[in-house]
Amino acid sequence: IQQIQASSIVEINGETAAVFGLPTKQTQTYRPRAVSYTASYTASNVKEIELLVRVANFDQPLKGGIVKSIYFGSQAAIDTEREYSIGFQLVTFIILLLHGLYAILLYVFGPRQKTFLMFFLLLLSAGLSIVSDHDSLLLIWLPLDYTWSLKIRLLSYIWLSFFSLALARSFSEYVTGTRLFYLYAIVLGIYSVFLLIAPAPLIYYSFAAKVFSFLYLFPLAWFVYLIGNMFIRNQPDSVFLLLGATSIVSSVVWGVFNYNIEMTRVYYPIDIIVAIIGFSAYGFKRYFRNSEENAKLNEQLRKADKLKDQFLANTSHELRTPLHAIMNIAQTVAVKEQQAMDGKSFKDMELLITISRRMSHMLDDLLDIVQLQDNLIMLQKEPLLIQSVASGVIGMLQFMTNGKPVQLKIEIAESMPPVLADEKRLVQILFNLLHNALKYTEEGTITMSVEIQNGQAVIHVSDTGAGMDEETQARIFLPYEQGSHGITDGRGLGLGLSICKQLVELHGGELTVHSEPGKGSVFSFVLPLAAPSDLPSVQNQPQQQSDTNEEVAVSSSFSDALTSAWPLQSSLSSFTDGKINILAVDDDPVNLKVLVSILSMESYNIRSVTSAREALELLSTERWDLLIADVMMPHMSGYELTRRVREQFSISELPVLLLTARSQPTDIYAGFLSGANDYVTKPVDALELKSRIWSLATLKQSVHERLRMEAAYLQAQIH
């Protein structure tokens, strides 16, 4: 007995074979199981079988009772046919369920791909239509009554049709009829609500009014039209969609034909499986086609990105020369016409110089980012005292705090051991971090501190500035990304922190940030401590004048070049009979020994000290012709030392030569602003150093000789 509507009682030769519900006049109940079942009868000496089926049709006013034919046969034949039918339904349902599982997982991983969601809903609707119709397997699994089984069956069919159309529209490259589609979706939604709340008799009346047939067949016809149109337009791989559409049409036609003229009671799964294969094959082909296109586009993007980087590098080089010309002209005009300009014009000229200097810094960042991407930056690691580097960087940025209630602080213990790093790049990292903190801190303090954790130096740069939210923190280390403040004020390109991060990673560390809006930020990175084998084997004592003839480990070719290429001694002797007194300051004794070795062949008296405080004490006790100072020194940087010197001596009275780790305009500007006469970039080139020392010493001696001659002339006039 495949389908009897509502409650029923089956009697065979007066014996009750099966009871489903209570088919009475007053009430009607339903058992929560399928209405498709088998009833068996066994008796001897019986020539006839009288079958009595009593049926109630309260919920089916139009077509109740025995809907499909009742079949007779042996128990084995009946069971075999039923098992085949149920088996085909279960296999098809499981196939749909697995495909639906894959589709929903792909949608979860990529929510923007709405096609996967529609495919999942299509498969879910198809699966429900299978288990709710034919042998009504859903009623075996769930405790549903007749009315809800009817509702689920009808809803699954109309939404199966809708999602087929929606999926075809998502596949099609020529989508039309959008308004009609949305109008149909609204009508379908209204009818679905009606099916959920209406009683069974009312649902059957709407079914008789062909509402269900229209909502089911109209989108299927539109679906077939779209697939056919895609095939005619030769859309790639549309033949698989045509196979799926043909299978769906075949399934519908076969279902209608078998419903009206029953050919078989066994479920026919071929059409629906072929349709799923067609849709899946199209999806896979489309995925692989898109993957190939994406690979080609990615390669094109990589080439374009490479060309972009090369363009940025070339443009930066080309812009640097005219930009420096603008800066030089502006500075010249500002100095020359300062008296003639009014206050506003002079401030505008200073603003022009500041903007030009900022643009120059941007160009340097662009060049650095290109070099980092091309792996062109090689580190020259050496043991460095972080105290010295921090003091020098603070000195470079001191001018940015003028007129701003911000205090720069260094909190590093005297006993902090040296770190292993590239001095130039470490200065660049700290400069960018401190510069960034100054940019976003209107008042308060900016502190640089160092601590040792797990045998490594952890460097912190903290500020009391604007701070950042979590979303900003997640992207500030990306190139050309800035916080909200940086975007609105237009300062910089958003490359500084990205450069810092990559330079820290080249050192084997990681740059991190901890921040809260309105509570400031803390940037931290790790550097390895210098191993004992990395430290130079010299005594950490000041180099005295008696050590000037001590042998230093310099290669023979380098020494020969110094001796033969620069015969300065004779020229100096011809200028003055006395020797030049030079005071050298560097916290690293090795650097002092190298400096003494370079100048040992010239007519110089060299006195070396390892701190700025010692140098200040010696300046007031003896006469000096030149001061050579390293910038990166603890307690007092070379910039601060130069400012102190200028409080006692003019530029001509005591020239100052600074040794800097970087040759960036900002470093040079900070040096000259503090009162230095000249600078030399480390690592020091010996010939360049000797040339600049000779030039400054000659200047000092010339001024001194000129003053001596003027004094002698005045004295002669007095006599």
Side-chain angles (χ1 to χ4, degrees), residues 537-586:
S537 56
V538 298
Q539 296 179 351
N540 294 326
Q541 298 294 333
Q543 184 71 22
Q544 303 297 329
Q545 184 175 353
S546 60
D547 296 329
T548 56
N549 295 323
E550 183 176 347
E551 183 179 358
V552 181
V554 183
S555 66
S556 59
S557 59
F558 182 65
S559 301
D560 295 340
L562 294 181
T563 305
S564 60
W566 196 259
L568 287 177
Q569 187 170 358
S570 59
S571 59
L572 281 172
S573 300
S574 63
F575 183 80
T576 176
D577 294 333
K579 287 191 174 184
I580 304 298
N581 295 324
I582 298 177
L583 178 60
V585 189
D586 198 316

Side-chain angles (χ1 to χ4, degrees), residues 72-83 265:
F72 295 87
S74 66
Q75 185 75 48
I78 293 293
D79 290 344
T80 299
E81 186 177 86
R82 179 173 168 80
E83 288 171 1
R265 297 181 311 281

Side-chain angles (χ1 to χ4, degrees), residues 10 23 38 47 86 103 107 114 149 194 208 301 324 375 421 445 462 541 602 666 709 717:
V10 178
T38 60
K47 300 289 182 72
I86 293 177
Y107 173 72
K114 304 297 183 184
S149 67
F194 165 77
L301 286 175
H324 285 182
N375 298 320
T445 58
S462 58
Q541 298 294 333
E602 311 300 336
T666 306
M709 292 178 64
Q717 292 296 319

Side-chain angles (χ1 to χ4, degrees), residues 473-610:
Q473 295 177 49
R475 59 183 175 83
I476 56 170
F477 293 124
L478 299 175
Y480 310 105
E481 290 286 348
Q482 301 181 75
S484 56
H485 296 278
I487 294 173
T488 55
D489 64 15
R491 294 178 288 184
L493 296 174
L495 293 175
L497 291 178
S498 175
I499 293 172
C500 286
K501 183 177 185 296
Q502 295 181 68
L503 290 177
V504 169
E505 289 173 351
L506 282 178
H507 283 82
E510 182 182 6
L511 180 60
T512 59
V513 61
H514 175 73
S515 180
E516 293 183 29
K519 296 184 179 180
S521 306
V522 179
F523 288 86
S524 306
F525 64 96
V526 176
L527 289 178
L529 295 176
S533 58
D534 299 322
L535 300 176
S537 56
V538 298
Q539 296 179 351
N540 294 326
Q541 298 294 333
Q543 184 71 22
Q544 303 297 329
Q545 184 175 353
S546 60
D547 296 329
T548 56
N549 295 323
E550 183 176 347
E551 183 179 358
V552 181
V554 183
S555 66
S556 59
S557 59
F558 182 65
S559 301
D560 295 340
L562 294 181
T563 305
S564 60
W566 196 259
L568 287 177
Q569 187 170 358
S570 59
S571 59
L572 281 172
S573 300
S574 63
F575 183 80
T576 176
D577 294 333
K579 287 191 174 184
I580 304 298
N581 295 324
I582 298 177
L583 178 60
V585 189
D586 198 316
D587 62 317
D588 190 348
V590 174
N591 291 339
L592 289 174
K593 293 178 73 69
V594 172
L595 179 63
V596 171
S597 176
I598 292 174
L599 303 179
S600 61
M601 301 299 295
E602 311 300 336
S603 299
Y604 300 139
N605 289 326
I606 304 175
R607 181 75 174 274
S608 58
V609 294
T610 57

Side-chain angles (χ1 to χ4, degrees), residues 566 568-569 571-583 599 602-606 623-628 646 651-657 677-678 680 688-706:
W566 196 259
L568 287 177
Q569 187 170 358
S571 59
L572 281 172
S573 300
S574 63
F575 183 80
T576 176
D577 294 333
K579 287 191 174 184
I580 304 298
N581 295 324
I582 298 177
L583 178 60
L599 303 179
E602 311 300 336
S603 299
Y604 300 139
N605 289 326
I606 304 175
R623 182 185 66 83
W624 302 100
D625 298 307
L626 178 63
L627 173 63
I628 302 176
R646 287 293 165 254
I651 290 179
S652 60
E653 288 176 333
L654 180 57
V656 177
L657 175 64
N677 295 68
D678 206 349
V680 173
E688 179 186 1
L689 177 63
K690 293 174 69 175
S691 300
R692 293 182 183 274
I693 290 176
W694 180 84
S695 177
L696 293 175
T698 303
L699 172 65
K700 173 64 169 60
Q701 291 292 338
S702 298
V703 173
H704 179 72
E705 183 65 19
R706 180 66 178 269

Side-chain angles (χ1 to χ4, degrees), residues 30-33 138-146 148-149:
Y30 307 98
R31 295 189 63 178
R33 57 175 299 176
L138 189 63
L139 297 181
I140 300 177
W141 301 336
L142 300 177
L144 300 174
D145 59 20
Y146 172 78
W148 274 106
S149 67

Side-chain angles (χ1 to χ4, degrees), residues 230-496:
M230 292 167 63
F231 183 76
I232 293 173
R233 292 178 178 270
N234 200 25
Q235 184 169 322
D237 305 320
S238 58
V239 64
F240 296 105
L241 293 178
L242 183 64
L243 175 65
T246 304
S247 301
I248 289 178
V249 172
S250 174
S251 178
V252 172
V253 172
W254 168 255
V256 173
F257 180 77
N258 192 54
Y259 182 80
N260 294 298
I261 304 175
E262 190 174 28
M263 302 294 295
T264 178
R265 297 181 311 281
V266 178
Y267 175 74
Y268 178 70
I270 304 301
D271 288 339
I272 190 68
I273 292 177
V274 172
I276 296 304
I277 291 175
F279 282 121
S280 300
Y282 178 81
F284 284 123
K285 288 286 290 184
R286 187 182 189 185
Y287 170 78
F288 287 117
R289 186 176 66 252
N290 290 340
S291 297
E292 292 176 0
E293 293 177 356
N294 287 337
K296 294 178 181 178
L297 290 175
N298 287 335
E299 184 62 28
Q300 294 176 3
L301 286 175
R302 277 192 290 268
K303 292 180 179 178
D305 187 61
K306 188 71 175 177
L307 292 175
K308 180 260 297 179
D309 292 338
Q310 190 61 43
F311 170 77
L312 288 176
N314 295 337
T315 303
S316 300
H317 280 295
E318 294 296 329
L319 290 177
R320 176 176 282 182
T321 299
L323 178 60
H324 285 182
I326 293 172
M327 293 172 59
N328 294 334
I329 294 173
Q331 289 171 345
T332 303
V333 172
V335 173
K336 185 183 298 183
E337 305 295 336
Q338 180 176 0
Q339 301 299 329
M341 290 182 181
D342 57 22
K344 184 177 183 303
S345 298
F346 184 72
K347 288 183 178 180
D348 290 341
M349 188 62 67
E350 285 186 328
L351 179 60
L352 173 63
I353 296 171
T354 302
I355 294 173
S356 301
R357 191 176 297 114
R358 187 178 299 159
M359 290 180 64
S360 178
H361 186 68
M362 293 179 186
L363 295 180
D364 293 336
D365 283 344
L366 287 173
L367 291 173
D368 282 338
I369 204 71
V370 171
Q371 287 184 318
L372 285 167
Q373 290 177 352
D374 293 339
N375 298 320
L376 297 178
I377 292 182
M378 303 298 294
L379 300 182
Q380 302 294 331
K381 294 184 180 180
E382 58 180 328
L384 298 174
L385 287 175
I386 194 68
Q387 305 94 313
S388 305
V389 178
S391 177
V393 175
I394 293 292
M396 294 179 196
L397 295 168
Q398 200 68 47
F399 73 95
M400 291 186 63
T401 61
N402 294 337
K404 198 174 183 180
V406 177
Q407 182 181 5
L408 298 173
K409 297 172 59 178
I410 300 177
E411 296 180 354
I412 305 176
E414 292 288 339
S415 59
M416 182 69 197
V419 297
L420 190 64
D422 184 307
E423 182 176 5
K424 178 181 178 181
R425 297 304 175 181
L426 179 57
V427 170
Q428 186 177 3
I429 294 169
L430 294 177
F431 180 88
N432 281 342
L433 293 179
L434 289 167
H435 186 274
N436 187 74
L438 278 168
K439 187 165 64 171
Y440 296 115
T441 304
E442 296 300 327
E443 60 179 354
T445 58
I446 298 174
T447 306
M448 179 180 169
S449 58
V450 183
E451 60 179 334
I452 297 179
Q453 293 181 1
N454 301 324
Q456 292 181 309
V458 183
I459 303 170
H460 306 285
V461 176
S462 58
D463 62 68
T464 58
M468 296 171 284
D469 54 23
E470 292 184 359
E471 189 236 338
T472 304
Q473 295 177 49
R475 59 183 175 83
I476 56 170
F477 293 124
L478 299 175
Y480 310 105
E481 290 286 348
Q482 301 181 75
S484 56
H485 296 278
I487 294 173
T488 55
D489 64 15
R491 294 178 288 184
L493 296 174
L495 293 175

